[in-house]
Amino acid sequence: MRRYELREDQWLKIAPLLPGKATDPGRSGEDNRQFVQAVLWIARSGAPWRDLPERYGKWNTVFQRFNRWSKKGIWQQVFGALQEPDLDWILLDSTIIRAHQHAAGVKKKYRQTDEALGRSRGGYSSKIHVTVDALGNPRRVMLSAGQVHDLQMAACLLEGECTGAVVADKAYDSDVLIAFIEQAGAQVVIPPKANRLEKRAYDENLYADRNKVERFFNRLKHYRRLATRYEKTARNFLSFWQLACAVMLTL
């Protein structure tokens, strides 16, 4: 098996979730496995699309198909279908992703803020916001511009979740978010900020489990196309994250 390619057991979990099967209406897909492995090669290696090895087919054909699936939300559907979450508690966090100069080359009719690109002293950046379950498996992934505060995405990530507790670092210590979590019937496991006058008690033993979301980011950033943003569109960059999360759920 070549490097970056799926094992047989992984492919058997993903294959039934992809469009273009013989049982689907319309045209059948041309070798879904080769296509998915081509996208994984790009994600893991971080190489430009033009450098895709010839064994995967024409690079532009693969890119156009990836882009179509991204527009249709297929990568998100696969990620969602593979989930069997343990929602005893949920861990919440985010990470900054530096954007390559090529990622900032969106057409003038699109604003860079529409593509989740934020300016900072170090250049353009995006931010990935995630929740993982009690086992450390990815649950939800969202994207924003790099300067967006973690709290602005927290409620969207937790909306509709039925969990026993929400674990996060002190960046999420906000009266509004705490009230939102408690209203949903979950325990708040967020340490208070140093400037909070009345310190809240929290479960320190459960808080120690927050290392699982940190380990999640460390594993996903082995994908070089995730550790640095090269995609011009937020949609395609998020699709790479969704695919990587799906593969993680097949391990």
mmCIF file of all heavy atoms in Angstrom, residues 111-159:
data_model
loop_
_atom_site.group_PDB
_atom_site.id
_atom_site.type_symbol
_atom_site.label_atom_id
_atom_site.label_comp_id
_atom_site.label_asym_id
_atom_site.label_seq_id
_atom_site.Cartn_x
_atom_site.Cartn_y
_atom_site.Cartn_z
ATOM 1 N N ARG A 111 -15.186 39.475 -0.954
ATOM 2 C CA ARG A 111 -14.415 40.065 0.135
ATOM 3 C C ARG A 111 -13.649 38.960 0.845
ATOM 4 O O ARG A 111 -14.121 37.842 0.975
ATOM 5 C CB ARG A 111 -15.343 40.765 1.127
ATOM 6 C CG ARG A 111 -16.017 42.014 0.580
ATOM 7 C CD ARG A 111 -16.871 42.663 1.637
ATOM 8 N NE ARG A 111 -17.863 41.718 2.159
ATOM 9 C CZ ARG A 111 -18.617 41.952 3.226
ATOM 10 N NH1 ARG A 111 -18.484 43.075 3.897
ATOM 11 N NH2 ARG A 111 -19.502 41.052 3.630
ATOM 12 N N GLN A 112 -12.462 39.280 1.343
ATOM 13 C CA GLN A 112 -11.679 38.266 2.036
ATOM 14 C C GLN A 112 -12.355 37.802 3.317
ATOM 15 O O GLN A 112 -12.188 36.658 3.736
ATOM 16 C CB GLN A 112 -10.270 38.813 2.320
ATOM 17 C CG GLN A 112 -9.401 38.778 1.073
ATOM 18 C CD GLN A 112 -8.317 39.824 1.082
ATOM 19 O OE1 GLN A 112 -8.364 40.769 1.852
ATOM 20 N NE2 GLN A 112 -7.353 39.662 0.209
ATOM 21 N N THR A 113 -13.150 38.655 3.938
ATOM 22 C CA THR A 113 -13.873 38.237 5.137
ATOM 23 C C THR A 113 -14.901 37.167 4.805
ATOM 24 O O THR A 113 -15.232 36.335 5.644
ATOM 25 C CB THR A 113 -14.573 39.442 5.798
ATOM 26 O OG1 THR A 113 -15.351 40.130 4.802
ATOM 27 C CG2 THR A 113 -13.565 40.399 6.384
ATOM 28 N N ASP A 114 -15.431 37.156 3.568
ATOM 29 C CA ASP A 114 -16.378 36.124 3.162
ATOM 30 C C ASP A 114 -15.696 34.765 3.058
ATOM 31 O O ASP A 114 -16.352 33.733 3.120
ATOM 32 C CB ASP A 114 -17.010 36.472 1.808
ATOM 33 C CG ASP A 114 -17.877 37.725 1.869
ATOM 34 O OD1 ASP A 114 -18.370 38.038 2.966
ATOM 35 O OD2 ASP A 114 -18.030 38.385 0.827
ATOM 36 N N GLU A 115 -14.387 34.749 2.871
ATOM 37 C CA GLU A 115 -13.640 33.511 2.740
ATOM 38 C C GLU A 115 -12.877 33.164 4.018
ATOM 39 O O GLU A 115 -11.923 32.399 3.990
ATOM 40 C CB GLU A 115 -12.678 33.599 1.553
ATOM 41 C CG GLU A 115 -13.358 33.792 0.212
ATOM 42 C CD GLU A 115 -14.334 32.666 -0.149
ATOM 43 O OE1 GLU A 115 -14.224 31.571 0.443
ATOM 44 O OE2 GLU A 115 -15.194 32.882 -1.011
ATOM 45 N N ALA A 116 -13.307 33.711 5.148
ATOM 46 C CA ALA A 116 -12.727 33.395 6.466
ATOM 47 C C ALA A 116 -11.229 33.664 6.508
ATOM 48 O O ALA A 116 -10.448 32.881 7.041
ATOM 49 C CB ALA A 116 -13.023 31.947 6.854
ATOM 50 N N LEU A 117 -10.827 34.800 5.947
ATOM 51 C CA LEU A 117 -9.435 35.235 6.005
ATOM 52 C C LEU A 117 -9.368 36.528 6.812
ATOM 53 O O LEU A 117 -10.039 37.502 6.482
ATOM 54 C CB LEU A 117 -8.875 35.475 4.604
ATOM 55 C CG LEU A 117 -8.503 34.236 3.790
ATOM 56 C CD1 LEU A 117 -8.245 34.619 2.342
ATOM 57 C CD2 LEU A 117 -7.276 33.545 4.380
ATOM 58 N N GLY A 118 -8.572 36.532 7.856
ATOM 59 C CA GLY A 118 -8.442 37.721 8.679
ATOM 60 C C GLY A 118 -7.024 38.251 8.656
ATOM 61 O O GLY A 118 -6.060 37.486 8.592
ATOM 62 N N ARG A 119 -6.882 39.551 8.683
ATOM 63 C CA ARG A 119 -5.552 40.176 8.704
ATOM 64 C C ARG A 119 -5.018 40.258 10.128
ATOM 65 O O ARG A 119 -5.764 40.499 11.072
ATOM 66 C CB ARG A 119 -5.620 41.597 8.133
ATOM 67 C CG ARG A 119 -5.650 41.666 6.610
ATOM 68 C CD ARG A 119 -5.524 43.117 6.166
ATOM 69 N NE ARG A 119 -5.489 43.241 4.716
ATOM 70 C CZ ARG A 119 -4.391 43.157 3.990
ATOM 71 N NH1 ARG A 119 -3.229 42.927 4.585
ATOM 72 N NH2 ARG A 119 -4.430 43.302 2.683
ATOM 73 N N SER A 120 -3.721 40.038 10.258
ATOM 74 C CA SER A 120 -3.042 40.229 11.534
ATOM 75 C C SER A 120 -1.633 40.723 11.242
ATOM 76 O O SER A 120 -1.229 40.840 10.085
ATOM 77 C CB SER A 120 -2.993 38.920 12.329
ATOM 78 O OG SER A 120 -2.192 37.969 11.662
ATOM 79 N N ARG A 121 -0.893 40.992 12.289
ATOM 80 C CA ARG A 121 0.473 41.492 12.095
ATOM 81 C C ARG A 121 1.325 40.482 11.326
ATOM 82 O O ARG A 121 2.218 40.841 10.568
ATOM 83 C CB ARG A 121 1.107 41.789 13.449
ATOM 84 C CG ARG A 121 2.478 42.441 13.370
ATOM 85 C CD ARG A 121 2.940 42.897 14.725
ATOM 86 N NE ARG A 121 2.078 43.939 15.276
ATOM 87 C CZ ARG A 121 2.249 44.486 16.475
ATOM 88 N NH1 ARG A 121 3.238 44.063 17.259
ATOM 89 N NH2 ARG A 121 1.440 45.424 16.907
ATOM 90 N N GLY A 122 1.020 39.190 11.498
ATOM 91 C CA GLY A 122 1.791 38.151 10.819
ATOM 92 C C GLY A 122 1.280 37.800 9.435
ATOM 93 O O GLY A 122 1.828 36.919 8.785
ATOM 94 N N GLY A 123 0.221 38.453 8.991
ATOM 95 C CA GLY A 123 -0.346 38.152 7.682
ATOM 96 C C GLY A 123 -1.757 37.613 7.810
ATOM 97 O O GLY A 123 -2.407 37.764 8.839
ATOM 98 N N TYR A 124 -2.241 36.967 6.769
ATOM 99 C CA TYR A 124 -3.583 36.415 6.773
ATOM 100 C C TYR A 124 -3.632 35.133 7.596
ATOM 101 O O TYR A 124 -2.674 34.360 7.637
ATOM 102 C CB TYR A 124 -4.050 36.105 5.345
ATOM 103 C CG TYR A 124 -4.431 37.330 4.550
ATOM 104 C CD1 TYR A 124 -3.611 37.791 3.525
ATOM 105 C CD2 TYR A 124 -5.603 38.029 4.824
ATOM 106 C CE1 TYR A 124 -3.948 38.912 2.781
ATOM 107 C CE2 TYR A 124 -5.944 39.155 4.086
ATOM 108 C CZ TYR A 124 -5.120 39.583 3.069
ATOM 109 O OH TYR A 124 -5.460 40.696 2.345
ATOM 110 N N SER A 125 -4.780 34.909 8.229
ATOM 111 C CA SER A 125 -4.969 33.672 8.994
ATOM 112 C C SER A 125 -6.443 33.325 9.065
ATOM 113 O O SER A 125 -7.317 34.164 8.855
ATOM 114 C CB SER A 125 -4.404 33.818 10.411
ATOM 115 O OG SER A 125 -5.132 34.793 11.140
ATOM 116 N N SER A 126 -6.704 32.055 9.331
ATOM 117 C CA SER A 126 -8.050 31.563 9.586
ATOM 118 C C SER A 126 -8.033 30.862 10.935
ATOM 119 O O SER A 126 -6.965 30.570 11.491
ATOM 120 C CB SER A 126 -8.491 30.589 8.488
ATOM 121 O OG SER A 126 -8.549 31.232 7.230
ATOM 122 N N LYS A 127 -9.203 30.564 11.452
ATOM 123 C CA LYS A 127 -9.288 29.859 12.729
ATOM 124 C C LYS A 127 -10.276 28.704 12.590
ATOM 125 O O LYS A 127 -11.379 28.867 12.080
ATOM 126 C CB LYS A 127 -9.737 30.806 13.849
ATOM 127 C CG LYS A 127 -9.761 30.146 15.232
ATOM 128 C CD LYS A 127 -10.190 31.122 16.321
ATOM 129 C CE LYS A 127 -9.074 32.075 16.703
ATOM 130 N NZ LYS A 127 -9.417 32.869 17.920
ATOM 131 N N ILE A 128 -9.842 27.523 13.035
ATOM 132 C CA ILE A 128 -10.695 26.344 13.061
ATOM 133 C C ILE A 128 -11.252 26.179 14.474
ATOM 134 O O ILE A 128 -10.507 26.171 15.449
ATOM 135 C CB ILE A 128 -9.900 25.083 12.659
ATOM 136 C CG1 ILE A 128 -9.566 25.115 11.170
ATOM 137 C CG2 ILE A 128 -10.673 23.820 12.998
ATOM 138 C CD1 ILE A 128 -10.745 24.834 10.251
ATOM 139 N N HIS A 129 -12.564 26.054 14.564
ATOM 140 C CA HIS A 129 -13.253 25.840 15.842
ATOM 141 C C HIS A 129 -13.835 24.438 15.841
ATOM 142 O O HIS A 129 -14.498 24.046 14.866
ATOM 143 C CB HIS A 129 -14.392 26.851 16.019
ATOM 144 C CG HIS A 129 -13.961 28.285 15.869
ATOM 145 N ND1 HIS A 129 -13.726 29.119 16.945
ATOM 146 C CD2 HIS A 129 -13.721 29.030 14.749
ATOM 147 C CE1 HIS A 129 -13.377 30.308 16.497
ATOM 148 N NE2 HIS A 129 -13.360 30.281 15.176
ATOM 149 N N VAL A 130 -13.600 23.666 16.902
ATOM 150 C CA VAL A 130 -14.067 22.280 16.907
ATOM 151 C C VAL A 130 -14.686 21.905 18.245
ATOM 152 O O VAL A 130 -14.417 22.522 19.279
ATOM 153 C CB VAL A 130 -12.921 21.282 16.604
ATOM 154 C CG1 VAL A 130 -12.230 21.613 15.294
ATOM 155 C CG2 VAL A 130 -11.918 21.223 17.744
ATOM 156 N N THR A 131 -15.513 20.861 18.179
ATOM 157 C CA THR A 131 -15.888 20.113 19.379
ATOM 158 C C THR A 131 -15.493 18.663 19.133
ATOM 159 O O THR A 131 -15.592 18.165 18.011
ATOM 160 C CB THR A 131 -17.395 20.193 19.683
ATOM 161 O OG1 THR A 131 -18.144 19.804 18.524
ATOM 162 C CG2 THR A 131 -17.796 21.584 20.107
ATOM 163 N N VAL A 132 -15.008 18.012 20.188
ATOM 164 C CA VAL A 132 -14.751 16.570 20.130
ATOM 165 C C VAL A 132 -15.525 15.915 21.260
ATOM 166 O O VAL A 132 -15.859 16.568 22.261
ATOM 167 C CB VAL A 132 -13.243 16.231 20.232
ATOM 168 C CG1 VAL A 132 -12.465 16.950 19.142
ATOM 169 C CG2 VAL A 132 -12.685 16.593 21.602
ATOM 170 N N ASP A 133 -15.820 14.624 21.101
ATOM 171 C CA ASP A 133 -16.613 13.935 22.110
ATOM 172 C C ASP A 133 -15.727 13.431 23.248
ATOM 173 O O ASP A 133 -14.523 13.707 23.293
ATOM 174 C CB ASP A 133 -17.440 12.819 21.477
ATOM 175 C CG ASP A 133 -16.582 11.664 20.945
ATOM 176 O OD1 ASP A 133 -15.370 11.615 21.236
ATOM 177 O OD2 ASP A 133 -17.132 10.808 20.222
ATOM 178 N N ALA A 134 -16.316 12.657 24.159
ATOM 179 C CA ALA A 134 -15.587 12.199 25.346
ATOM 180 C C ALA A 134 -14.448 11.251 25.001
ATOM 181 O O ALA A 134 -13.543 11.047 25.815
ATOM 182 C CB ALA A 134 -16.556 11.521 26.314
ATOM 183 N N LEU A 135 -14.465 10.676 23.803
ATOM 184 C CA LEU A 135 -13.394 9.785 23.367
ATOM 185 C C LEU A 135 -12.313 10.519 22.586
ATOM 186 O O LEU A 135 -11.321 9.916 22.186
ATOM 187 C CB LEU A 135 -13.977 8.659 22.499
ATOM 188 C CG LEU A 135 -15.028 7.765 23.166
ATOM 189 C CD1 LEU A 135 -15.578 6.765 22.157
ATOM 190 C CD2 LEU A 135 -14.445 7.051 24.374
ATOM 191 N N GLY A 136 -12.536 11.809 22.338
ATOM 192 C CA GLY A 136 -11.575 12.589 21.563
ATOM 193 C C GLY A 136 -11.827 12.546 20.073
ATOM 194 O O GLY A 136 -10.995 13.009 19.285
ATOM 195 N N ASN A 137 -12.976 12.012 19.660
ATOM 196 C CA ASN A 137 -13.313 11.968 18.241
ATOM 197 C C ASN A 137 -13.998 13.252 17.801
ATOM 198 O O ASN A 137 -14.784 13.828 18.566
ATOM 199 C CB ASN A 137 -14.237 10.779 17.955
ATOM 200 C CG ASN A 137 -13.545 9.452 18.146
ATOM 201 O OD1 ASN A 137 -12.369 9.305 17.815
ATOM 202 N ND2 ASN A 137 -14.252 8.479 18.693
ATOM 203 N N PRO A 138 -13.728 13.717 16.581
ATOM 204 C CA PRO A 138 -14.317 14.987 16.127
ATOM 205 C C PRO A 138 -15.832 14.913 16.045
ATOM 206 O O PRO A 138 -16.405 13.914 15.608
ATOM 207 C CB PRO A 138 -13.695 15.183 14.737
ATOM 208 C CG PRO A 138 -13.286 13.813 14.297
ATOM 209 C CD PRO A 138 -12.897 13.093 15.537
ATOM 210 N N ARG A 139 -16.464 15.999 16.456
ATOM 211 C CA ARG A 139 -17.922 16.090 16.431
ATOM 212 C C ARG A 139 -18.393 17.165 15.446
ATOM 213 O O ARG A 139 -19.180 16.914 14.564
ATOM 214 C CB ARG A 139 -18.422 16.387 17.850
ATOM 215 C CG ARG A 139 -19.912 16.619 17.985
ATOM 216 C CD ARG A 139 -20.710 15.394 17.641
ATOM 217 N NE ARG A 139 -22.138 15.617 17.867
ATOM 218 C CZ ARG A 139 -23.088 14.914 17.288
ATOM 219 N NH1 ARG A 139 -22.781 13.948 16.442
ATOM 220 N NH2 ARG A 139 -24.352 15.181 17.548
ATOM 221 N N ARG A 140 -17.893 18.386 15.628
ATOM 222 C CA ARG A 140 -18.237 19.474 14.726
ATOM 223 C C ARG A 140 -16.992 20.302 14.415
ATOM 224 O O ARG A 140 -16.122 20.465 15.275
ATOM 225 C CB ARG A 140 -19.317 20.377 15.333
ATOM 226 C CG ARG A 140 -20.685 19.714 15.431
ATOM 227 C CD ARG A 140 -21.727 20.640 16.037
ATOM 228 N NE ARG A 140 -23.041 19.992 16.079
ATOM 229 C CZ ARG A 140 -24.117 20.512 16.678
ATOM 230 N NH1 ARG A 140 -24.038 21.696 17.281
ATOM 231 N NH2 ARG A 140 -25.263 19.857 16.661
ATOM 232 N N VAL A 141 -16.936 20.824 13.192
ATOM 233 C CA VAL A 141 -15.810 21.647 12.751
ATOM 234 C C VAL A 141 -16.372 22.876 12.051
ATOM 235 O O VAL A 141 -17.213 22.757 11.163
ATOM 236 C CB VAL A 141 -14.884 20.882 11.783
ATOM 237 C CG1 VAL A 141 -13.702 21.756 11.383
ATOM 238 C CG2 VAL A 141 -14.410 19.581 12.394
ATOM 239 N N MET A 142 -15.905 24.056 12.452
ATOM 240 C CA MET A 142 -16.341 25.305 11.829
ATOM 241 C C MET A 142 -15.115 26.172 11.545
ATOM 242 O O MET A 142 -14.057 25.987 12.159
ATOM 243 C CB MET A 142 -17.337 26.044 12.725
ATOM 244 C CG MET A 142 -18.613 25.264 13.003
ATOM 245 S SD MET A 142 -19.811 26.171 14.013
ATOM 246 C CE MET A 142 -20.376 27.374 12.805
ATOM 247 N N LEU A 143 -15.283 27.111 10.634
ATOM 248 C CA LEU A 143 -14.178 27.963 10.188
ATOM 249 C C LEU A 143 -14.559 29.429 10.318
ATOM 250 O O LEU A 143 -15.702 29.808 10.056
ATOM 251 C CB LEU A 143 -13.847 27.638 8.726
ATOM 252 C CG LEU A 143 -12.720 28.409 8.051
ATOM 253 C CD1 LEU A 143 -11.375 28.095 8.686
ATOM 254 C CD2 LEU A 143 -12.683 28.078 6.561
ATOM 255 N N SER A 144 -13.599 30.250 10.727
ATOM 256 C CA SER A 144 -13.817 31.691 10.795
ATOM 257 C C SER A 144 -12.529 32.405 10.415
ATOM 258 O O SER A 144 -11.471 31.777 10.248
ATOM 259 C CB SER A 144 -14.239 32.112 12.211
ATOM 260 O OG SER A 144 -13.125 32.084 13.094
ATOM 261 N N ALA A 145 -12.617 33.717 10.282
ATOM 262 C CA ALA A 145 -11.404 34.521 10.107
ATOM 263 C C ALA A 145 -10.554 34.427 11.373
ATOM 264 O O ALA A 145 -11.064 34.177 12.465
ATOM 265 C CB ALA A 145 -11.774 35.968 9.816
ATOM 266 N N GLY A 146 -9.260 34.641 11.220
ATOM 267 C CA GLY A 146 -8.335 34.424 12.325
ATOM 268 C C GLY A 146 -8.550 35.303 13.535
ATOM 269 O O GLY A 146 -8.234 34.904 14.662
ATOM 270 N N GLN A 147 -9.115 36.503 13.343
ATOM 271 C CA GLN A 147 -9.266 37.417 14.458
ATOM 272 C C GLN A 147 -10.552 37.191 15.252
ATOM 273 O O GLN A 147 -10.765 37.826 16.281
ATOM 274 C CB GLN A 147 -9.225 38.875 13.960
ATOM 275 C CG GLN A 147 -10.509 39.377 13.317
ATOM 276 C CD GLN A 147 -10.641 38.984 11.863
ATOM 277 O OE1 GLN A 147 -9.840 38.225 11.355
ATOM 278 N NE2 GLN A 147 -11.638 39.506 11.178
ATOM 279 N N VAL A 148 -11.411 36.297 14.797
ATOM 280 C CA VAL A 148 -12.691 36.058 15.470
ATOM 281 C C VAL A 148 -12.444 35.390 16.818
ATOM 282 O O VAL A 148 -11.724 34.386 16.914
ATOM 283 C CB VAL A 148 -13.609 35.180 14.594
ATOM 284 C CG1 VAL A 148 -14.864 34.753 15.362
ATOM 285 C CG2 VAL A 148 -13.995 35.932 13.326
ATOM 286 N N HIS A 149 -13.061 35.932 17.874
ATOM 287 C CA HIS A 149 -12.877 35.371 19.211
ATOM 288 C C HIS A 149 -13.575 34.025 19.322
ATOM 289 O O HIS A 149 -14.623 33.792 18.716
ATOM 290 C CB HIS A 149 -13.427 36.332 20.274
ATOM 291 C CG HIS A 149 -12.974 36.010 21.661
ATOM 292 N ND1 HIS A 149 -13.553 35.032 22.438
ATOM 293 C CD2 HIS A 149 -11.973 36.541 22.415
ATOM 294 C CE1 HIS A 149 -12.940 34.963 23.604
ATOM 295 N NE2 HIS A 149 -11.975 35.872 23.613
ATOM 296 N N ASP A 150 -12.992 33.145 20.128
ATOM 297 C CA ASP A 150 -13.545 31.799 20.310
ATOM 298 C C ASP A 150 -15.009 31.822 20.728
ATOM 299 O O ASP A 150 -15.804 30.976 20.303
ATOM 300 C CB ASP A 150 -12.734 31.041 21.366
ATOM 301 C CG ASP A 150 -11.293 30.805 20.933
ATOM 302 O OD1 ASP A 150 -10.984 31.058 19.753
ATOM 303 O OD2 ASP A 150 -10.481 30.381 21.768
ATOM 304 N N LEU A 151 -15.373 32.774 21.567
ATOM 305 C CA LEU A 151 -16.737 32.838 22.095
ATOM 306 C C LEU A 151 -17.782 33.064 21.003
ATOM 307 O O LEU A 151 -18.935 32.648 21.150
ATOM 308 C CB LEU A 151 -16.852 33.951 23.142
ATOM 309 C CG LEU A 151 -16.263 33.644 24.520
ATOM 310 C CD1 LEU A 151 -16.198 34.913 25.362
ATOM 311 C CD2 LEU A 151 -17.088 32.570 25.218
ATOM 312 N N GLN A 152 -17.399 33.709 19.918
ATOM 313 C CA GLN A 152 -18.355 34.024 18.872
ATOM 314 C C GLN A 152 -18.863 32.778 18.151
ATOM 315 O O GLN A 152 -19.940 32.802 17.555
ATOM 316 C CB GLN A 152 -17.737 34.993 17.854
ATOM 317 C CG GLN A 152 -17.497 36.385 18.404
ATOM 318 C CD GLN A 152 -16.902 37.315 17.378
ATOM 319 O OE1 GLN A 152 -15.779 37.809 17.510
ATOM 320 N NE2 GLN A 152 -17.647 37.579 16.316
ATOM 321 N N MET A 153 -18.098 31.700 18.203
ATOM 322 C CA MET A 153 -18.481 30.468 17.516
ATOM 323 C C MET A 153 -18.969 29.389 18.476
ATOM 324 O O MET A 153 -19.500 28.363 18.040
ATOM 325 C CB MET A 153 -17.286 29.928 16.717
ATOM 326 C CG MET A 153 -16.671 30.912 15.768
ATOM 327 S SD MET A 153 -17.786 31.410 14.447
ATOM 328 C CE MET A 153 -17.831 29.926 13.460
ATOM 329 N N ALA A 154 -18.815 29.609 19.779
ATOM 330 C CA ALA A 154 -19.091 28.552 20.754
ATOM 331 C C ALA A 154 -20.552 28.104 20.739
ATOM 332 O O ALA A 154 -20.844 26.902 20.730
ATOM 333 C CB ALA A 154 -18.698 29.023 22.153
ATOM 334 N N ALA A 155 -21.480 29.045 20.730
ATOM 335 C CA ALA A 155 -22.898 28.679 20.772
ATOM 336 C C ALA A 155 -23.300 27.884 19.533
ATOM 337 O O ALA A 155 -24.091 26.931 19.620
ATOM 338 C CB ALA A 155 -23.757 29.929 20.909
ATOM 339 N N CYS A 156 -22.765 28.245 18.365
ATOM 340 C CA CYS A 156 -23.074 27.511 17.128
ATOM 341 C C CYS A 156 -22.562 26.075 17.207
ATOM 342 O O CYS A 156 -23.234 25.139 16.753
ATOM 343 C CB CYS A 156 -22.457 28.215 15.927
ATOM 344 S SG CYS A 156 -23.138 29.846 15.590
ATOM 345 N N LEU A 157 -21.374 25.890 17.785
ATOM 346 C CA LEU A 157 -20.813 24.554 17.909
ATOM 347 C C LEU A 157 -21.613 23.672 18.863
ATOM 348 O O LEU A 157 -21.704 22.456 18.676
ATOM 349 C CB LEU A 157 -19.363 24.637 18.403
ATOM 350 C CG LEU A 157 -18.312 25.096 17.397
ATOM 351 C CD1 LEU A 157 -17.022 25.456 18.113
ATOM 352 C CD2 LEU A 157 -18.049 24.022 16.353
ATOM 353 N N LEU A 158 -22.219 24.284 19.876
ATOM 354 C CA LEU A 158 -22.927 23.525 20.912
ATOM 355 C C LEU A 158 -24.428 23.441 20.674
ATOM 356 O O LEU A 158 -25.119 22.700 21.373
ATOM 357 C CB LEU A 158 -22.672 24.164 22.285
ATOM 358 C CG LEU A 158 -21.211 24.178 22.755
ATOM 359 C CD1 LEU A 158 -21.079 25.013 24.027
ATOM 360 C CD2 LEU A 158 -20.706 22.754 22.995
ATOM 361 N N GLU A 159 -24.925 24.184 19.697
ATOM 362 C CA GLU A 159 -26.364 24.241 19.448
ATOM 363 C C GLU A 159 -26.938 22.843 19.217
ATOM 364 O O GLU A 159 -26.465 22.079 18.378
ATOM 365 C CB GLU A 159 -26.645 25.110 18.213
ATOM 366 C CG GLU A 159 -28.106 25.334 17.942
ATOM 367 C CD GLU A 159 -28.779 26.205 18.995
ATOM 368 O OE1 GLU A 159 -28.132 27.174 19.447
ATOM 369 O OE2 GLU A 159 -29.929 25.921 19.350
#
